[in-house]
Amino acid sequence: MENWAEHLECTLIDEESLQKRIHELGEEITRDYEGKDLVLIGILKGSIMFLSDLCKEIPLSLAMDFMSVSSYGNRSESSGVVRILKDLDQNIENKDVLIVEDIIDSGLTLSYLRDNLSHRGPRSIQICTLLDKPDRRVAKDIHVNYCGFIIPDKFVVGYGLDFSEKYRNIPFIGALKRELYE
Ligand code: IMP
Ligand code: MG
């Protein structure tokens, strides 16, 4: 099996920059959610590394839950069709929900998720994403409350993000070579 380094075009965001920005996001979220009933909802599987680093930067008594949805299959374009593969374990009624995503591309996944969760009676719902590709947005009604980095229209992997389930273990964010996904 080859090393993943050969499959990357470049490093987009290195480990140090990730940790520095996540520390800042944690401070901001901590300030905003003081005195609230925060539930972090990680969207599996892409957000695992981001969520696990982010939650350590938020010294509040918060809860965590997970959802898994599928919209892509093995392709690199969103289909707009979202399926819930794993739902929350907890009731979010009267909770202050913060959805934690790896990346927002078309925004279709998040638009569906936010509408779905908002019907369950939370006190508030906000969105935190590590990466945002605003040039690719299709769902215009998505408001991102916390964003780590705005990135160009490249397919990125690493730090939890995959292409066909691979590359999640790369410790930084890299751009995948175009010939591998086009
Ligand atoms: P959207 O519905 O188009 O916003 O897609 C959101 C989901 O697509 C994310 O949660 C990722 O799982 C996946 N995705 C979108 N762009 C990328 C990328 O550049 N690398 C890896 N996954 C991506
Ligand atoms: Mg994915």
Side-chain angles (χ1 to χ4, degrees), residues 72 102 162 168:
Y72 273 15
D102 52 355
D162 73 308
R168 293 193 199 275

Side-chain angles (χ1 to χ4, degrees), residues 74-89:
N74 280 338
R75 295 175 309 121
S76 62
E77 291 279 316
S78 191
S79 63
V81 179
V82 178
R83 216 154 42 98
I84 294 185
L85 305 176
K86 185 221 169 286
D87 207 338
L88 299 178
D89 297 331

Side-chain angles (χ1 to χ4, degrees), residues 45-82:
K45 303 170 228 174
S47 71
I48 51 164
M49 293 208 194
F50 176 42
L51 180 66
S52 70
D53 284 339
L54 180 68
C55 70
K56 289 179 276 184
E57 303 290 340
I58 310 174
L60 298 173
S61 120
L62 55 80
M64 275 189 247
D65 207 336
F66 297 91
M67 256 178 117
S68 175
V69 297
S70 102
S71 62
Y72 273 15
N74 280 338
R75 295 175 309 121
S76 62
E77 291 279 316
S78 191
S79 63
V81 179
V82 178

Side-chain angles (χ1 to χ4, degrees), residues 7 33 46 61 71 87 89 110 122 141 147 153 172-173:
H7 299 185
Y33 281 89
S61 120
S71 62
D87 207 338
D89 297 331
L110 215 48
D141 60 337
C147 171
D153 181 12
F172 55 87
I173 302 284

